[in-house]
């Protein structure tokens, strides 16, 4: 009894210490809050200042883009006016106007007024003239000299300036800002945009005046703070807008303006004893430079309240942390105490029942563990080991296993443990229904696709198509989609009965709606649907039926669905010994024309019998074997032919399930027989050469053209898959990456050695989209083309 009492007291003391340890551990979690609170002040200042800089820079950039857009719209409107048929018919020198023209001159002010209404928010006035006698405005016609001396007088541009402007060879020109006096008492500032066009053998001059007040409204409308002020300079460093006189004279601005070498940055500076955050944006379109001046006091006002909130939040978190630490410590402590008591009790019982038993549960763990936490750790380790065993079993059902198994079935093989695949499909993809149907979706890409879609971007387009097909099928029934061959997607659909095939038609009709525009422009879509099967190992049969349905498509239709259940499919082919002997005879005679006619007859006879897709492959494989036998008799091997990489598909176990259509296979066999005839002629050697070198040379010579993998493969006389694989194996570089590198290297030469525009450079290297060129250039070089050109000039 005394021994039992002593053990209880010892256990109780350990439990009290355990509670304190747990409580101390929870309290230690509050230390990071104290550290964060101490460092939050410095961190908040830094982060908020960066956000402050980004915000004012972003808003200045938005305002600059808006001004550029207004000016661009103004130019386009003016050019449209000068190309208007009515304007070109009526606008002529006054001395050459006929009575008929004079009677219709009232139309010109009307058209000008219509243009001014379009640009009314940004422009001050618009006028046009073609001689030194009349100036046309929206209100009517004015005398040339009277208009520029009284009605609309420019401070910088006198009447002689506008007379000489008719002889200018510049079609569009932005003049420096100038003050304008209207009717001798109204003063404003405008930026004249001058557009000159040849009309009836005379230069017509149209002038649209951009209001500086409108620029002011645009800048302030995009400002973050009301206290922000702006300075705008044109491409010649002439002041366009400076409300507060920050710019002053050009010499006075040199000190702070030199600090802004790049566009899109903000810096702190002192001006007139006051601290400002100055942001700078330079327009790429017109070369205008925009500066915003925001007092730093705006930033300080925003930080005070946030810092106060941060300190208050830290205090609240600490108080709440102490309370929750106490609560959680008690809740954790009680189960641990119960577990410890149970282990101690089991240990006592074990010793009482069997004094010599040293391996009882409580005694064993008590001796193994140094404290209560070790006891819990040992229990968690046991659970972890159990979970790991389960995870090993689950890892067998990965997506890689599903992909491999389906490809295995599509090749016509069978699985010994089909229940594993069925279970994986059920667990990961929701295949809870009884049977399966295979759908084969084939995309026949047209020339426009390879012309409009950049060659290096096509892989992403194909990936997007696969995602769309999968999403549409999954909306109707549980589905799994894989890319089986180039341009061919296979969909495995789970359903309870064959009648549910109607749901597939709904999904494919939705796909027609999504791809309707692309079908008209870029590709044909054919969908073959196999029959319904319950057995997993019959998936290959359903796929073969779907492929057979594809082979029966009507090539005149851009989008079609062919259901194999509506067809009568023959599962054998006709290729007699007589046919084989005739082929051998023509090969011996070297009669290529007769061979072509004979092969066409054999293929046509079998096609009329609705032969299955699988047996189409077997027929051509049989004709291939005939050619191989003939070569062997002549002492040659298939490996000696130039066509050998393409012929390897006939020996591929997956050949009979491939997507090679009858015309493609027929063409390969014809070429195979033609090369046999050429090879077996006397004194004919084998061609040799480095395929990778030929590919690199072809790309170097044709980088300005479309370089899709199909185009390169056709030029080399091999398959797309082979040319891509052999290039990667030999050079350790993807073929698309090599094409991009060659083009970008040529672009770098043009950027550093010429003054060509970026758009022209992109077109000259075979990339016809400016957006694609900028993305590819930055991906390869890390900077934009303009930045690269600027850096090169600085280095030079």
């Amino acid at each position: 009894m005394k021994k039992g009492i002593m053990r209880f007291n010892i256990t109780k003391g350990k439990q009290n210490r355990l509670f304190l340890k747990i409580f101390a551990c929870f309290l230690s979690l509050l230390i990071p809050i104290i550290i964060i609170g101490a460092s939050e002040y410095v961190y908040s200042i830094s982060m908020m200042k960066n956000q402050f800089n980004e915000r004012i820079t972003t808003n200045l950039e938005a305002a600059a883009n808006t001004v550029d857009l207004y000016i661009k719209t103004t130019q386009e409107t003016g050019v449209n006016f000068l190309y208007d048929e009515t304007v070109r018919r009526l606008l002529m020198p006054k001395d050459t106007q006929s009575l008929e023209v004079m009677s219709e001159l009232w139309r010109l002010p009307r058209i000008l007024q219509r243009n001014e209404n379009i640009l009314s928010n940004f422009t001050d006035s618009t006028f046009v003239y073609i001689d030194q006698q009349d100036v046309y405005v929206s209100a009517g016609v004015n005398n040339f000299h009277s208009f520029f001396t009284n009605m609309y007088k420019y401070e910088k541009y006198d009447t002689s300036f506008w007379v000489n402007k008719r002889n200018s060879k510049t079609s569009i020109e932005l003049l420096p800002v100038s003050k304008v006096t209207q009717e001798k008492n109204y003063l404003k500032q405008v930026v004249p945009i001058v557009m000159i066009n040849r009309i009836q053998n005379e230069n017509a001059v149209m002038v649209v005046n951009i209001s500086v007040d409108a620029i002011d409204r645009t800048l302030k409308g995009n400002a973050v703070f009301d206290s922000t002020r702006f300075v705008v300079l044109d491409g010649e460093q002439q002041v366009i807008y400076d409300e507060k006189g920050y710019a002053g004279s050009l010499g006075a601005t040199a000190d702070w303006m030199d600090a802004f070498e790049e566009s899109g940055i903000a810096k702190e500076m002192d001006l007139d004893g006051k601290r400002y955050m100055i942001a700078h944006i330079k327009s790429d379109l017109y070369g205008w430079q925009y500066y915003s001046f925001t007092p730093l006091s705006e930033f300080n006002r925003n930080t005070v309240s946030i810092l106060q909130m941060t300190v208050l939040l830290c205090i609240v978190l600490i108080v709440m942390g102490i309370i929750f630490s106490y609560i959680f410590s008690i809740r954790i402590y009680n189960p641990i105490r119960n577990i410890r008591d149970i282990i101690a009790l089991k240990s006592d019982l074990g010793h009482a029942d069997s004094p010599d038993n040293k391996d009882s549960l409580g005694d064993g763990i008590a001796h193994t563990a140094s404290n209560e936490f070790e006891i819990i750790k040992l229990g968690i380790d046991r659970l972890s080991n159990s979970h790991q065993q389960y995870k090993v079993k689950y890892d067998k059902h990965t997506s890689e296993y599903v992909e491999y198994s389906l490809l295995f079935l599509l090749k016509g093989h069978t699985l010994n443990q089909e229940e594993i695949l069925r279970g994986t499909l059920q667990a990961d993809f929701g295949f809870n229904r009884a049977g399966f149907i295979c759908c084969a979706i084939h995309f026949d890409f047209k020339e426009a696709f390879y012309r409009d879609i950049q060659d290096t971007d096509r892989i992403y387009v194909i990936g997007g198509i696969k995602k769309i097909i999968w999403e549409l099928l999954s909306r109707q029934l549980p589905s799994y989609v894989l890319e089986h061959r180039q341009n061919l997607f296979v969909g495995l659909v789970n359903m309870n009965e064959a009648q549910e095939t109607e749901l597939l038609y709904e999904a494919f009709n939705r796909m027609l709606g999504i791809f309707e525009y692309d079908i008209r422009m870029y590709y044909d879509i054919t969908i073959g649907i196999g029959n319904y099967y319950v057995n997993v190992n019959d998936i290959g049969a359903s796929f073969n039926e779907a492929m057979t349905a594809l082979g029966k498509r009507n090539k005149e239709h851009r989008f079609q669905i062919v259901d194999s259940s509506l067809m009568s499919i023959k599962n054998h082919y006709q290729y007699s010994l007589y046919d084989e002997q005739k082929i051998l005879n023509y090969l011996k005679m070297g009669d290529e024309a007769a061979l072509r006619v004979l092969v066409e007859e054999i293929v046509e006879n079998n096609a009329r019998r609705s032969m299955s897709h699988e047996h189409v492959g077997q027929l051509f494989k049989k004709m291939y074997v005939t050619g191989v036998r003939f070569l062997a008799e002549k002492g040659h091997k298939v490996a000696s032919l130039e066509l050998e990489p393409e012929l390897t598909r006939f020996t591929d176990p997956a050949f009979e399930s491939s997507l090679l259509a009858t015309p493609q296979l027929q063409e390969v066999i014809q070429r195979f027989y033609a090369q046999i005839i050429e090879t077996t002629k006397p004194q004919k050697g084998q061609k040799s050469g480095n395929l990778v070198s030929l590919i690199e040379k072809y790309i170097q010579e044709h980088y300005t053209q479309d370089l899709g993998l199909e185009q390169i493969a056709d030029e080399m006389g091999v398959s797309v898959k082979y040319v891509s694989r052999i290039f990667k194996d030999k050079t350790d570089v993807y073929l698309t990456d090599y094409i991009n590198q060659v083009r970008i290297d040529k672009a770098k030469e043009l950027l550093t050695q010429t003054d060509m525009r970026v758009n022209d450079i992109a077109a000259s290297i075979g990339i016809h989209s400016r957006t694609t060129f900028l993305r590819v250039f930055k991906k390869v070089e890390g900077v934009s083309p303009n930045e690269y050109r600027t850096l090169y000039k600085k280095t030079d």
Side-chain angles (χ1 to χ4, degrees):
M1 178 65 70
K2 292 181 179 179
K3 182 178 179 181
I5 294 174
M6 185 181 297
R7 181 176 181 82
F8 175 79
N9 291 334
I10 293 174
T11 304
K12 185 175 181 181
K14 289 183 178 180
Q15 290 174 342
N16 292 335
R17 291 198 300 271
L18 174 61
F19 173 78
L20 294 177
K21 287 181 180 179
I22 295 174
F23 187 58
C25 289
F26 276 113
L27 290 180
S28 67
L29 298 177
L30 302 179
I31 296 176
I33 298 178
I34 299 174
I35 297 175
I36 292 173
S39 61
E40 181 65 19
Y41 179 77
V42 176
Y43 179 77
S44 296
I45 289 292
S46 175
M47 291 296 296
M48 291 184 63
K49 185 166 290 186
N50 291 335
Q51 295 175 0
F52 181 76
N53 295 347
E54 292 176 2
R55 192 176 177 188
I56 62 176
T57 303
T58 301
N59 282 271
L60 179 61
E61 184 177 7
N65 291 337
T66 302
V67 173
D68 287 352
L69 177 61
Y70 282 147
I71 296 176
K72 184 178 180 181
T73 302
T74 300
Q75 290 183 356
E76 292 174 351
T77 303
V79 171
N80 290 337
F81 172 83
L82 293 175
Y83 280 95
D84 186 277
E85 292 183 2
T86 303
V87 173
R88 298 185 70 83
R89 180 171 59 85
L90 299 178
L91 188 59
M92 60 180 65
K94 190 171 185 179
D95 296 340
T96 63
Q97 293 173 0
S98 65
L99 291 177
E100 182 181 357
V101 171
M102 290 181 182
S103 66
E104 293 189 61
L105 285 179
W106 58 272
R107 297 181 184 275
L108 294 178
R110 289 281 185 87
I111 299 174
L112 278 171
Q113 186 177 21
R114 186 169 64 244
N115 289 342
E116 284 188 354
N117 290 337
I118 296 174
L119 307 171
S120 59
N121 293 332
F122 199 66
T123 60
D124 178 67
S125 63
T126 304
F127 60 84
V128 64
Y129 63 91
I130 199 169
D131 57 15
Q132 301 179 28
Q133 298 187 50
D134 291 334
V135 176
Y136 296 90
V137 297
S138 60
V141 184
N142 297 285
N143 179 268
F144 184 88
H145 294 281
S146 176
F147 180 80
F148 288 112
T149 56
N150 296 318
M151 300 183 67
Y152 206 84
K153 183 179 180 180
Y154 292 88
E155 182 182 56
K156 291 185 178 180
Y157 314 110
D158 56 11
T159 304
S160 60
F161 174 84
W162 297 108
V163 171
N164 295 330
K165 185 54 66 177
R166 289 179 58 234
N167 299 322
S168 175
K169 295 182 179 180
T170 303
S171 58
I172 298 177
E173 181 179 5
L174 268 72
L175 299 179
V177 65
S178 174
K179 293 181 179 179
V180 173
T181 303
Q182 282 185 308
E183 302 297 339
K184 298 183 178 180
N185 58 6
Y186 184 68
L187 191 64
K188 66 181 92 175
Q189 285 188 315
V190 297
V191 178
I193 301 179
V194 180
M195 289 156 281
I196 300 176
N197 190 25
R198 195 77 174 171
I199 299 178
Q200 301 191 21
N201 297 324
E202 295 289 342
N203 280 344
V205 181
M206 182 176 185
V207 182
V208 181
N209 294 290
I210 303 297
S211 172
V212 174
D213 291 338
I215 297 176
D216 171 66
R217 291 193 302 271
T218 302
L219 294 173
K220 291 183 177 179
N222 285 274
V224 182
F225 304 102
D226 293 337
S227 59
T228 301
R229 294 296 179 263
F230 301 89
V231 171
V232 183
L233 307 178
D234 62 14
E236 303 296 330
Q237 297 293 310
Q238 298 293 323
V239 176
I240 295 176
Y241 173 74
D242 184 9
E243 180 183 5
K244 291 295 183 178
Y246 290 124
S249 63
L250 184 59
T253 63
D255 292 339
W256 62 269
M257 285 178 60
D258 289 344
F260 296 93
E261 297 179 357
E262 299 181 6
S263 176
I265 60 174
K267 294 184 178 181
E268 289 186 34
M269 289 188 179
D270 290 322
L271 291 178
D272 298 330
K274 192 173 182 180
R275 194 73 171 170
Y276 288 90
M277 184 64 69
I278 306 177
H280 170 239
I281 292 294
K282 183 176 180 180
S283 168
D284 293 334
L285 192 58
Y286 302 105
W288 286 15
Q289 301 196 55
Y290 300 82
Y291 299 88
S292 68
F293 298 77
T294 304
L296 206 58
S297 57
E298 294 284 358
F299 168 74
N300 296 331
R301 280 197 296 270
N302 283 274
T303 58
V304 171
S305 59
I306 294 178
L307 290 176
Q308 290 175 346
M309 183 182 299
T310 302
V311 173
L312 178 61
L313 181 62
C314 289
I315 296 174
V316 172
L317 289 176
I318 291 174
V319 173
M320 292 179 63
I322 294 173
I323 296 174
F324 282 114
S325 295
Y326 182 78
I327 295 173
F328 292 155
S329 296
I330 291 177
R331 292 192 175 186
I332 293 176
Y333 161 73
N334 287 334
I336 294 176
R337 180 188 61 185
N338 294 334
I339 292 173
R340 184 68 185 93
D341 290 343
I342 291 172
I343 292 175
L345 180 59
K346 285 184 175 290
S347 178
D348 288 340
L349 291 175
H351 284 289
D353 296 338
S354 178
D356 297 329
N357 183 9
K358 302 299 181 181
D359 298 324
S360 62
L361 176 63
D363 193 52
I365 294 180
H367 283 81
T368 304
S370 60
N371 53 48
E372 290 81 355
F373 291 113
E374 284 292 326
I375 296 174
I376 296 175
K377 180 180 180 300
L378 292 175
I380 293 175
D381 287 342
R382 291 178 179 178
L383 291 175
S384 177
N385 292 335
S386 176
H387 175 73
Q388 188 64 28
Q389 294 174 0
Y390 173 78
K391 187 176 182 300
V392 170
K393 296 179 181 179
Y394 181 78
D395 285 343
K396 297 179 181 178
H397 306 288
T398 62
S399 59
E400 292 183 0
Y401 170 76
V402 173
E403 188 94 1
Y404 171 80
S405 299
L406 290 180
L407 289 173
F408 189 75
L409 290 172
L410 296 183
K411 293 175 182 178
H413 305 300
T414 58
L415 294 175
N416 293 329
Q417 296 178 319
E418 59 178 283
E419 66 277 1
I420 297 178
L421 176 59
R422 186 184 287 272
T424 303
L425 290 172
Q426 180 178 356
D428 292 349
F429 302 100
F431 278 50
N432 298 314
R433 308 191 181 200
F436 309 91
I437 275 184
C438 267
C439 305
I441 303 99
H442 179 243
F443 283 74
D444 185 10
F445 292 102
K446 304 303 180 184
E447 181 181 352
F449 176 82
Y450 299 101
R451 182 182 65 248
D452 295 346
I453 306 300
Q454 188 65 33
D455 43 19
T456 53
D457 290 339
R458 291 169 193 158
I459 187 173
Y460 305 107
V461 176
I462 300 300
I465 291 175
K466 176 182 176 181
K467 291 180 180 178
I468 293 174
I469 295 173
W470 199 333
E471 173 66 20
L472 291 175
L473 289 176
S474 298
R475 290 181 182 179
Q476 300 294 333
L477 295 164
S479 304
Y480 185 91
V481 177
L482 58 88
E483 187 177 359
H484 184 254
R485 293 287 188 273
Q486 183 180 1
N487 305 341
L488 173 67
F489 301 94
V490 177
L492 179 65
V493 184
N494 185 217
M495 57 179 63
N496 283 322
E497 54 187 11
Q499 287 74 12
E500 290 183 330
T501 307
E502 296 178 0
L503 298 176
L504 297 183
Y505 281 87
E506 295 180 14
F508 291 134
N509 286 328
R510 286 198 193 97
M511 188 171 74
L512 172 61
I514 294 175
F515 293 123
E516 183 176 6
Y517 173 80
D518 292 340
I519 290 174
R520 293 198 302 267
M521 295 290 295
Y522 296 127
Y523 42 71
D524 297 346
I525 300 179
T526 305
I527 300 169
I529 300 178
N531 286 318
Y532 173 81
Y533 293 94
V534 176
N535 196 321
V536 170
N537 281 322
D538 289 330
I539 289 175
S542 182
F543 170 70
N544 180 52
E545 292 163 352
M547 293 297 295
T548 303
L550 279 184
K552 305 302 180 182
R553 64 187 183 275
N554 186 341
K555 296 183 179 180
E556 301 297 325
H557 296 167
R558 304 302 301 272
F559 179 86
Q560 56 188 308
I561 302 174
V562 186
D563 195 335
S564 63
S565 64
L566 306 177
M567 303 168 53
S568 176
I569 300 175
K570 304 293 184 181
N571 289 319
H572 62 276
Y573 62 90
Q574 287 186 348
Y575 183 69
S576 64
L577 292 175
Y578 177 71
D579 293 331
E580 184 176 24
Q581 189 59 48
K582 287 176 68 177
I583 291 177
L584 292 173
N585 291 337
Y586 288 142
L587 288 174
K588 291 177 183 178
M589 293 186 293
D591 193 342
E592 184 178 347
L595 270 172
R596 181 172 293 275
V597 173
L598 177 59
V599 171
E600 289 177 355
E601 290 178 356
I602 295 173
V603 172
E604 185 176 349
N605 290 336
N606 280 276
R608 285 197 297 266
R609 302 178 62 255
S610 297
M611 184 172 51
S612 73
H613 174 80
E614 178 181 0
H615 289 81
V616 169
Q618 292 179 5
L619 170 63
F620 283 101
K621 192 170 184 179
K622 189 70 174 179
M623 288 192 284
Y624 165 74
V625 171
T626 300
V628 173
R629 283 177 47 203
F630 181 81
L631 274 176
E633 292 173 0
K634 296 294 183 179
H636 296 276
K637 296 181 179 179
V638 176
S640 64
L641 301 182
E642 292 183 2
L643 198 61
E644 186 270 336
E646 196 168 349
L647 294 175
T648 55
R649 63 183 58 166
F650 288 103
T651 58
D652 188 344
F655 165 74
E656 293 170 3
S657 63
S658 66
L659 185 64
L660 292 173
T662 300
Q664 293 174 300
L665 292 170
Q666 185 174 335
E667 179 61 26
V668 173
I669 287 295
Q670 298 284 16
R671 290 165 57 195
F672 177 44
Y673 288 164
Q675 285 201 11
I676 290 176
I677 293 173
E678 183 68 23
T679 301
T680 54
K681 285 182 179 179
Q683 299 179 354
K684 290 292 182 180
Q686 299 295 328
K687 294 185 179 181
S688 61
N690 190 324
L691 178 60
V692 172
S693 299
L694 292 175
I695 294 172
E696 292 177 340
K697 181 179 179 182
Y698 180 82
I699 293 172
Q700 291 285 349
E701 294 175 351
H702 299 85
Y703 68 90
T704 61
Q705 304 171 8
D706 184 275
L707 286 178
L709 298 186
E710 298 85 357
Q711 173 69 19
I712 297 175
D714 288 343
E715 290 293 333
M716 298 297 110
V718 295
S719 67
V720 173
K721 184 176 181 181
Y722 180 83
V723 75
S724 179
R725 177 175 59 81
I726 197 66
F727 191 92
K728 178 64 169 63
D729 291 344
K730 296 297 183 181
T731 66
D732 201 29
V733 177
Y734 289 105
L735 186 54
T736 55
D737 291 343
Y738 180 79
I739 295 171
N740 284 335
Q741 186 63 58
V742 170
R743 287 172 170 167
I744 295 307
D745 288 343
K746 300 298 181 181
K748 287 160 59 178
E749 294 178 9
L750 296 175
L751 284 169
T752 56
Q753 298 176 11
T754 70
D755 293 325
M756 291 174 64
R757 297 184 306 171
V758 171
N759 286 353
D760 296 334
I761 292 176
S764 68
I765 65 170
I767 301 179
H768 301 288
S769 168
R770 173 185 172 91
T771 303
T772 301
F773 175 64
L774 295 177
R775 175 174 57 77
V776 173
F777 192 99
K778 192 161 187 177
K779 177 182 177 182
V780 175
E781 295 299 323
V783 295
S784 67
N786 286 329
E787 290 173 341
Y788 181 89
R789 176 176 275 171
T790 302
L791 291 171
Y792 178 85
K793 290 181 178 179
K794 287 183 178 180
T795 304
D796 189 58

